[in-house]
Amino acid sequence: MTLSISPDDIRSQLINTEAKAPVSDEDMRQAVRTLLLGLGEDPDREGLRDTPKRVVKALKFLTSGYHQSLDELLNGAVFHEDTNEMVLIRDIDLFSSCEHHILPILGRAHVAYIPNGKVIGLSKIARICEMYARRLQVQERLTQQIANALQGLLQPQGVAVVVEASHMCMVMRGVQKPGSWTVTSSMQGVFADDARTRQEFMDLIRHNPSFH
């Protein structure tokens, strides 16, 4: 089924970047200190004395996508262009965090669209991926958000997104399966409706040796 979302719909789903944080940085640092105590550590020893501050700073960076908007990110980089050939960017590195364990998700995205009168600056596609990745995520939702954003911004003939990633919650804990990769996809418009277009996209990314 083809999904469509307007720029206004996308904007309405974004967190208000000027909203006051529900807790202070000091509250967050105290929470990290409590976790250290719960682990049996001494947060006052030299090596851990500044750890709460560092952890809070790192988590804010890794979830900075909550405080970005597509309008700010694009900065007008949508252009009218009379072309209808596939645009594909492969191997967009992704670094995200699993919302279940707050452990890393490491992988890459392959993103394609077929224009319908409008194109987007190529670097902006990578930035869209980065914005949604820098949130607490599940891979399925991340894949869909990237596709929905491009569909809503450009109203193209179709969008295809494949994300392949390794989840540290499966590698470092739980089933402990290093080397396992999760692949998710979102096909919209002609990529969903036309098997030949979809196959062309899949063939192009399979020719990439990084695709698992």
Side-chain angles (χ1 to χ4, degrees), residues 8-38:
D8 288 338
D9 291 333
I10 295 170
R11 282 191 288 271
S12 71
Q13 294 172 9
L14 295 173
I15 292 177
N16 184 350
T17 59
E18 297 180 356
K20 185 177 179 180
V23 296
S24 68
D25 283 4
E26 179 58 29
D27 290 333
M28 296 175 72
R29 290 193 289 267
Q30 286 299 321
V32 176
R33 181 181 171 87
T34 299
L35 286 172
L36 290 171
L37 287 168

PDB file of all heavy atoms in Angstrom, residues 8-38:
ATOM      1  N   ASP A   8       3.060  19.404   6.288  1.00  0.00           N
ATOM      2  CA  ASP A   8       2.385  19.871   7.503  1.00  0.00           C
ATOM      3  C   ASP A   8       2.188  18.736   8.488  1.00  0.00           C
ATOM      4  O   ASP A   8       2.329  18.914   9.703  1.00  0.00           O
ATOM      5  CB  ASP A   8       1.028  20.483   7.158  1.00  0.00           C
ATOM      6  CG  ASP A   8       1.173  21.837   6.457  1.00  0.00           C
ATOM      7  OD1 ASP A   8       2.240  22.465   6.619  1.00  0.00           O
ATOM      8  OD2 ASP A   8       0.223  22.245   5.779  1.00  0.00           O
ATOM      9  N   ASP A   9       1.846  17.539   7.978  1.00  0.00           N
ATOM     10  CA  ASP A   9       1.686  16.380   8.852  1.00  0.00           C
ATOM     11  C   ASP A   9       3.003  16.038   9.527  1.00  0.00           C
ATOM     12  O   ASP A   9       3.054  15.695  10.704  1.00  0.00           O
ATOM     13  CB  ASP A   9       1.181  15.164   8.067  1.00  0.00           C
ATOM     14  CG  ASP A   9      -0.250  15.339   7.594  1.00  0.00           C
ATOM     15  OD1 ASP A   9      -0.991  16.084   8.256  1.00  0.00           O
ATOM     16  OD2 ASP A   9      -0.611  14.739   6.561  1.00  0.00           O
ATOM     17  N   ILE A  10       4.102  16.113   8.746  1.00  0.00           N
ATOM     18  CA  ILE A  10       5.420  15.810   9.305  1.00  0.00           C
ATOM     19  C   ILE A  10       5.753  16.796  10.403  1.00  0.00           C
ATOM     20  O   ILE A  10       6.195  16.424  11.489  1.00  0.00           O
ATOM     21  CB  ILE A  10       6.498  15.841   8.204  1.00  0.00           C
ATOM     22  CG1 ILE A  10       6.237  14.726   7.182  1.00  0.00           C
ATOM     23  CG2 ILE A  10       7.894  15.669   8.803  1.00  0.00           C
ATOM     24  CD1 ILE A  10       7.096  14.828   5.945  1.00  0.00           C
ATOM     25  N   ARG A  11       5.540  18.089  10.125  1.00  0.00           N
ATOM     26  CA  ARG A  11       5.877  19.107  11.114  1.00  0.00           C
ATOM     27  C   ARG A  11       5.062  18.938  12.383  1.00  0.00           C
ATOM     28  O   ARG A  11       5.549  19.172  13.484  1.00  0.00           O
ATOM     29  CB  ARG A  11       5.665  20.507  10.527  1.00  0.00           C
ATOM     30  CG  ARG A  11       6.790  20.939   9.598  1.00  0.00           C
ATOM     31  CD  ARG A  11       6.674  22.411   9.266  1.00  0.00           C
ATOM     32  NE  ARG A  11       5.550  22.667   8.359  1.00  0.00           N
ATOM     33  CZ  ARG A  11       5.665  22.638   7.042  1.00  0.00           C
ATOM     34  NH1 ARG A  11       6.816  22.350   6.484  1.00  0.00           N
ATOM     35  NH2 ARG A  11       4.620  22.893   6.285  1.00  0.00           N
ATOM     36  N   SER A  12       3.785  18.541  12.242  1.00  0.00           N
ATOM     37  CA  SER A  12       2.939  18.397  13.416  1.00  0.00           C
ATOM     38  C   SER A  12       3.377  17.255  14.305  1.00  0.00           C
ATOM     39  O   SER A  12       3.033  17.213  15.488  1.00  0.00           O
ATOM     40  CB  SER A  12       1.477  18.179  12.986  1.00  0.00           C
ATOM     41  OG  SER A  12       1.312  16.889  12.409  1.00  0.00           O
ATOM     42  N   GLN A  13       4.162  16.319  13.757  1.00  0.00           N
ATOM     43  CA  GLN A  13       4.629  15.184  14.538  1.00  0.00           C
ATOM     44  C   GLN A  13       5.935  15.472  15.254  1.00  0.00           C
ATOM     45  O   GLN A  13       6.375  14.703  16.098  1.00  0.00           O
ATOM     46  CB  GLN A  13       4.826  13.968  13.625  1.00  0.00           C
ATOM     47  CG  GLN A  13       3.522  13.456  13.037  1.00  0.00           C
ATOM     48  CD  GLN A  13       3.767  12.380  11.994  1.00  0.00           C
ATOM     49  OE1 GLN A  13       4.881  11.901  11.826  1.00  0.00           O
ATOM     50  NE2 GLN A  13       2.728  12.002  11.287  1.00  0.00           N
ATOM     51  N   LEU A  14       6.593  16.587  14.914  1.00  0.00           N
ATOM     52  CA  LEU A  14       7.880  16.893  15.516  1.00  0.00           C
ATOM     53  C   LEU A  14       7.709  17.453  16.914  1.00  0.00           C
ATOM     54  O   LEU A  14       6.735  18.139  17.226  1.00  0.00           O
ATOM     55  CB  LEU A  14       8.640  17.919  14.655  1.00  0.00           C
ATOM     56  CG  LEU A  14       9.044  17.446  13.259  1.00  0.00           C
ATOM     57  CD1 LEU A  14       9.614  18.605  12.466  1.00  0.00           C
ATOM     58  CD2 LEU A  14      10.060  16.328  13.369  1.00  0.00           C
ATOM     59  N   ILE A  15       8.657  17.177  17.766  1.00  0.00           N
ATOM     60  CA  ILE A  15       8.665  17.738  19.106  1.00  0.00           C
ATOM     61  C   ILE A  15       8.988  19.229  19.017  1.00  0.00           C
ATOM     62  O   ILE A  15       9.860  19.645  18.268  1.00  0.00           O
ATOM     63  CB  ILE A  15       9.691  17.012  19.986  1.00  0.00           C
ATOM     64  CG1 ILE A  15       9.213  15.568  20.237  1.00  0.00           C
ATOM     65  CG2 ILE A  15       9.937  17.730  21.295  1.00  0.00           C
ATOM     66  CD1 ILE A  15      10.178  14.747  21.029  1.00  0.00           C
ATOM     67  N   ASN A  16       8.299  20.033  19.784  1.00  0.00           N
ATOM     68  CA  ASN A  16       8.557  21.462  19.814  1.00  0.00           C
ATOM     69  C   ASN A  16       9.973  21.705  20.313  1.00  0.00           C
ATOM     70  O   ASN A  16      10.319  21.386  21.442  1.00  0.00           O
ATOM     71  CB  ASN A  16       7.546  22.133  20.752  1.00  0.00           C
ATOM     72  CG  ASN A  16       7.695  23.645  20.764  1.00  0.00           C
ATOM     73  OD1 ASN A  16       8.661  24.178  20.219  1.00  0.00           O
ATOM     74  ND2 ASN A  16       6.739  24.319  21.369  1.00  0.00           N
ATOM     75  N   THR A  17      10.802  22.270  19.445  1.00  0.00           N
ATOM     76  CA  THR A  17      12.219  22.420  19.801  1.00  0.00           C
ATOM     77  C   THR A  17      12.422  23.437  20.917  1.00  0.00           C
ATOM     78  O   THR A  17      13.489  23.456  21.533  1.00  0.00           O
ATOM     79  CB  THR A  17      13.037  22.852  18.572  1.00  0.00           C
ATOM     80  OG1 THR A  17      12.524  24.085  18.085  1.00  0.00           O
ATOM     81  CG2 THR A  17      12.976  21.797  17.486  1.00  0.00           C
ATOM     82  N   GLU A  18      11.418  24.289  21.167  1.00  0.00           N
ATOM     83  CA  GLU A  18      11.574  25.285  22.213  1.00  0.00           C
ATOM     84  C   GLU A  18      10.892  24.864  23.511  1.00  0.00           C
ATOM     85  O   GLU A  18      10.873  25.620  24.484  1.00  0.00           O
ATOM     86  CB  GLU A  18      11.007  26.625  21.733  1.00  0.00           C
ATOM     87  CG  GLU A  18      11.754  27.188  20.513  1.00  0.00           C
ATOM     88  CD  GLU A  18      11.184  28.509  20.058  1.00  0.00           C
ATOM     89  OE1 GLU A  18      10.175  28.946  20.645  1.00  0.00           O
ATOM     90  OE2 GLU A  18      11.742  29.094  19.129  1.00  0.00           O
ATOM     91  N   ALA A  19      10.329  23.661  23.540  1.00  0.00           N
ATOM     92  CA  ALA A  19       9.665  23.198  24.749  1.00  0.00           C
ATOM     93  C   ALA A  19      10.699  23.002  25.851  1.00  0.00           C
ATOM     94  O   ALA A  19      11.793  22.508  25.619  1.00  0.00           O
ATOM     95  CB  ALA A  19       8.924  21.886  24.482  1.00  0.00           C
ATOM     96  N   LYS A  20      10.328  23.382  27.039  1.00  0.00           N
ATOM     97  CA  LYS A  20      11.241  23.250  28.174  1.00  0.00           C
ATOM     98  C   LYS A  20      11.428  21.783  28.517  1.00  0.00           C
ATOM     99  O   LYS A  20      10.477  21.018  28.554  1.00  0.00           O
ATOM    100  CB  LYS A  20      10.668  24.005  29.380  1.00  0.00           C
ATOM    101  CG  LYS A  20      11.607  24.023  30.574  1.00  0.00           C
ATOM    102  CD  LYS A  20      11.019  24.831  31.703  1.00  0.00           C
ATOM    103  CE  LYS A  20      11.947  24.819  32.910  1.00  0.00           C
ATOM    104  NZ  LYS A  20      11.378  25.600  34.030  1.00  0.00           N
ATOM    105  N   ALA A  21      12.671  21.405  28.781  1.00  0.00           N
ATOM    106  CA  ALA A  21      12.950  20.014  29.146  1.00  0.00           C
ATOM    107  C   ALA A  21      12.214  19.672  30.431  1.00  0.00           C
ATOM    108  O   ALA A  21      12.162  20.479  31.369  1.00  0.00           O
ATOM    109  CB  ALA A  21      14.454  19.815  29.324  1.00  0.00           C
ATOM    110  N   PRO A  22      11.595  18.474  30.520  1.00  0.00           N
ATOM    111  CA  PRO A  22      10.828  18.115  31.715  1.00  0.00           C
ATOM    112  C   PRO A  22      11.696  17.948  32.951  1.00  0.00           C
ATOM    113  O   PRO A  22      11.201  18.043  34.068  1.00  0.00           O
ATOM    114  CB  PRO A  22      10.159  16.800  31.319  1.00  0.00           C
ATOM    115  CG  PRO A  22      11.008  16.247  30.215  1.00  0.00           C
ATOM    116  CD  PRO A  22      11.551  17.438  29.488  1.00  0.00           C
ATOM    117  N   VAL A  23      12.991  17.695  32.772  1.00  0.00           N
ATOM    118  CA  VAL A  23      13.915  17.581  33.897  1.00  0.00           C
ATOM    119  C   VAL A  23      15.182  18.366  33.566  1.00  0.00           C
ATOM    120  O   VAL A  23      15.498  18.603  32.402  1.00  0.00           O
ATOM    121  CB  VAL A  23      14.287  16.106  34.213  1.00  0.00           C
ATOM    122  CG1 VAL A  23      13.081  15.315  34.660  1.00  0.00           C
ATOM    123  CG2 VAL A  23      14.929  15.441  32.995  1.00  0.00           C
ATOM    124  N   SER A  24      15.889  18.756  34.590  1.00  0.00           N
ATOM    125  CA  SER A  24      17.111  19.524  34.388  1.00  0.00           C
ATOM    126  C   SER A  24      18.289  18.598  34.127  1.00  0.00           C
ATOM    127  O   SER A  24      18.229  17.388  34.378  1.00  0.00           O
ATOM    128  CB  SER A  24      17.392  20.373  35.626  1.00  0.00           C
ATOM    129  OG  SER A  24      17.740  19.525  36.727  1.00  0.00           O
ATOM    130  N   ASP A  25      19.385  19.200  33.650  1.00  0.00           N
ATOM    131  CA  ASP A  25      20.612  18.429  33.473  1.00  0.00           C
ATOM    132  C   ASP A  25      21.076  17.847  34.803  1.00  0.00           C
ATOM    133  O   ASP A  25      21.587  16.728  34.860  1.00  0.00           O
ATOM    134  CB  ASP A  25      21.711  19.319  32.888  1.00  0.00           C
ATOM    135  CG  ASP A  25      21.528  19.562  31.398  1.00  0.00           C
ATOM    136  OD1 ASP A  25      20.508  19.101  30.838  1.00  0.00           O
ATOM    137  OD2 ASP A  25      22.398  20.210  30.793  1.00  0.00           O
ATOM    138  N   GLU A  26      20.894  18.605  35.866  1.00  0.00           N
ATOM    139  CA  GLU A  26      21.309  18.107  37.177  1.00  0.00           C
ATOM    140  C   GLU A  26      20.487  16.889  37.584  1.00  0.00           C
ATOM    141  O   GLU A  26      21.025  15.922  38.145  1.00  0.00           O
ATOM    142  CB  GLU A  26      21.164  19.214  38.229  1.00  0.00           C
ATOM    143  CG  GLU A  26      21.562  18.790  39.640  1.00  0.00           C
ATOM    144  CD  GLU A  26      22.996  18.281  39.736  1.00  0.00           C
ATOM    145  OE1 GLU A  26      23.860  18.715  38.945  1.00  0.00           O
ATOM    146  OE2 GLU A  26      23.252  17.422  40.618  1.00  0.00           O
ATOM    147  N   ASP A  27      19.174  16.906  37.287  1.00  0.00           N
ATOM    148  CA  ASP A  27      18.334  15.732  37.562  1.00  0.00           C
ATOM    149  C   ASP A  27      18.868  14.519  36.802  1.00  0.00           C
ATOM    150  O   ASP A  27      18.913  13.408  37.338  1.00  0.00           O
ATOM    151  CB  ASP A  27      16.890  15.996  37.139  1.00  0.00           C
ATOM    152  CG  ASP A  27      16.183  17.000  38.034  1.00  0.00           C
ATOM    153  OD1 ASP A  27      16.567  17.108  39.214  1.00  0.00           O
ATOM    154  OD2 ASP A  27      15.263  17.680  37.548  1.00  0.00           O
ATOM    155  N   MET A  28      19.238  14.737  35.544  1.00  0.00           N
ATOM    156  CA  MET A  28      19.744  13.639  34.730  1.00  0.00           C
ATOM    157  C   MET A  28      21.067  13.114  35.271  1.00  0.00           C
ATOM    158  O   MET A  28      21.302  11.903  35.327  1.00  0.00           O
ATOM    159  CB  MET A  28      19.886  14.093  33.277  1.00  0.00           C
ATOM    160  CG  MET A  28      18.577  14.462  32.612  1.00  0.00           C
ATOM    161  SD  MET A  28      18.774  15.139  30.945  1.00  0.00           S
ATOM    162  CE  MET A  28      19.247  13.676  30.028  1.00  0.00           C
ATOM    163  N   ARG A  29      21.944  14.033  35.681  1.00  0.00           N
ATOM    164  CA  ARG A  29      23.231  13.600  36.244  1.00  0.00           C
ATOM    165  C   ARG A  29      23.031  12.803  37.528  1.00  0.00           C
ATOM    166  O   ARG A  29      23.717  11.799  37.768  1.00  0.00           O
ATOM    167  CB  ARG A  29      24.125  14.814  36.486  1.00  0.00           C
ATOM    168  CG  ARG A  29      24.642  15.466  35.209  1.00  0.00           C
ATOM    169  CD  ARG A  29      25.755  16.449  35.481  1.00  0.00           C
ATOM    170  NE  ARG A  29      25.278  17.652  36.136  1.00  0.00           N
ATOM    171  CZ  ARG A  29      24.910  18.760  35.497  1.00  0.00           C
ATOM    172  NH1 ARG A  29      24.946  18.810  34.170  1.00  0.00           N
ATOM    173  NH2 ARG A  29      24.507  19.818  36.173  1.00  0.00           N
ATOM    174  N   GLN A  30      22.073  13.221  38.331  1.00  0.00           N
ATOM    175  CA  GLN A  30      21.794  12.474  39.558  1.00  0.00           C
ATOM    176  C   GLN A  30      21.254  11.079  39.246  1.00  0.00           C
ATOM    177  O   GLN A  30      21.534  10.113  39.965  1.00  0.00           O
ATOM    178  CB  GLN A  30      20.794  13.252  40.430  1.00  0.00           C
ATOM    179  CG  GLN A  30      21.376  14.467  41.123  1.00  0.00           C
ATOM    180  CD  GLN A  30      22.514  14.101  42.078  1.00  0.00           C
ATOM    181  OE1 GLN A  30      22.472  13.095  42.787  1.00  0.00           O
ATOM    182  NE2 GLN A  30      23.566  14.931  42.077  1.00  0.00           N
ATOM    183  N   ALA A  31      20.473  10.973  38.160  1.00  0.00           N
ATOM    184  CA  ALA A  31      19.955   9.660  37.762  1.00  0.00           C
ATOM    185  C   ALA A  31      21.090   8.729  37.354  1.00  0.00           C
ATOM    186  O   ALA A  31      21.098   7.534  37.697  1.00  0.00           O
ATOM    187  CB  ALA A  31      18.959   9.814  36.620  1.00  0.00           C
ATOM    188  N   VAL A  32      22.081   9.267  36.624  1.00  0.00           N
ATOM    189  CA  VAL A  32      23.240   8.451  36.247  1.00  0.00           C
ATOM    190  C   VAL A  32      24.025   8.046  37.484  1.00  0.00           C
ATOM    191  O   VAL A  32      24.480   6.900  37.604  1.00  0.00           O
ATOM    192  CB  VAL A  32      24.150   9.218  35.259  1.00  0.00           C
ATOM    193  CG1 VAL A  32      25.403   8.403  34.946  1.00  0.00           C
ATOM    194  CG2 VAL A  32      23.397   9.529  33.969  1.00  0.00           C
ATOM    195  N   ARG A  33      24.175   8.954  38.429  1.00  0.00           N
ATOM    196  CA  ARG A  33      24.862   8.649  39.686  1.00  0.00           C
ATOM    197  C   ARG A  33      24.159   7.505  40.424  1.00  0.00           C
ATOM    198  O   ARG A  33      24.806   6.588  40.948  1.00  0.00           O
ATOM    199  CB  ARG A  33      24.918   9.911  40.553  1.00  0.00           C
ATOM    200  CG  ARG A  33      25.645   9.719  41.878  1.00  0.00           C
ATOM    201  CD  ARG A  33      25.630  11.016  42.676  1.00  0.00           C
ATOM    202  NE  ARG A  33      26.135  10.780  44.017  1.00  0.00           N
ATOM    203  CZ  ARG A  33      27.427  10.825  44.349  1.00  0.00           C
ATOM    204  NH1 ARG A  33      28.330  11.118  43.417  1.00  0.00           N
ATOM    205  NH2 ARG A  33      27.801  10.593  45.588  1.00  0.00           N
ATOM    206  N   THR A  34      22.820   7.553  40.439  1.00  0.00           N
ATOM    207  CA  THR A  34      22.055   6.477  41.083  1.00  0.00           C
ATOM    208  C   THR A  34      22.295   5.145  40.390  1.00  0.00           C
ATOM    209  O   THR A  34      22.429   4.108  41.051  1.00  0.00           O
ATOM    210  CB  THR A  34      20.556   6.832  41.073  1.00  0.00           C
ATOM    211  OG1 THR A  34      20.350   8.040  41.797  1.00  0.00           O
ATOM    212  CG2 THR A  34      19.724   5.717  41.714  1.00  0.00           C
ATOM    213  N   LEU A  35      22.344   5.163  39.058  1.00  0.00           N
ATOM    214  CA  LEU A  35      22.622   3.929  38.319  1.00  0.00           C
ATOM    215  C   LEU A  35      23.997   3.370  38.685  1.00  0.00           C
ATOM    216  O   LEU A  35      24.156   2.157  38.875  1.00  0.00           O
ATOM    217  CB  LEU A  35      22.556   4.199  36.817  1.00  0.00           C
ATOM    218  CG  LEU A  35      21.165   4.382  36.209  1.00  0.00           C
ATOM    219  CD1 LEU A  35      21.285   4.824  34.755  1.00  0.00           C
ATOM    220  CD2 LEU A  35      20.365   3.090  36.291  1.00  0.00           C
ATOM    221  N   LEU A  36      24.986   4.237  38.802  1.00  0.00           N
ATOM    222  CA  LEU A  36      26.335   3.787  39.170  1.00  0.00           C
ATOM    223  C   LEU A  36      26.327   3.148  40.555  1.00  0.00           C
ATOM    224  O   LEU A  36      26.950   2.105  40.775  1.00  0.00           O
ATOM    225  CB  LEU A  36      27.309   4.959  39.116  1.00  0.00           C
ATOM    226  CG  LEU A  36      27.637   5.503  37.725  1.00  0.00           C
ATOM    227  CD1 LEU A  36      28.439   6.796  37.827  1.00  0.00           C
ATOM    228  CD2 LEU A  36      28.401   4.467  36.907  1.00  0.00           C
ATOM    229  N   LEU A  37      25.613   3.765  41.479  1.00  0.00           N
ATOM    230  CA  LEU A  37      25.498   3.190  42.820  1.00  0.00           C
ATOM    231  C   LEU A  37      24.811   1.827  42.765  1.00  0.00           C
ATOM    232  O   LEU A  37      25.225   0.872  43.434  1.00  0.00           O
ATOM    233  CB  LEU A  37      24.716   4.139  43.735  1.00  0.00           C
ATOM    234  CG  LEU A  37      25.452   5.412  44.178  1.00  0.00           C
ATOM    235  CD1 LEU A  37      24.472   6.390  44.818  1.00  0.00           C
ATOM    236  CD2 LEU A  37      26.583   5.067  45.150  1.00  0.00           C
ATOM    237  N   GLY A  38      23.752   1.738  41.941  1.00  0.00           N
ATOM    238  CA  GLY A  38      23.038   0.465  41.810  1.00  0.00           C
ATOM    239  C   GLY A  38      23.891  -0.637  41.214  1.00  0.00           C
ATOM    240  O   GLY A  38      23.665  -1.825  41.472  1.00  0.00           O
TER     241      GLY A  38
END
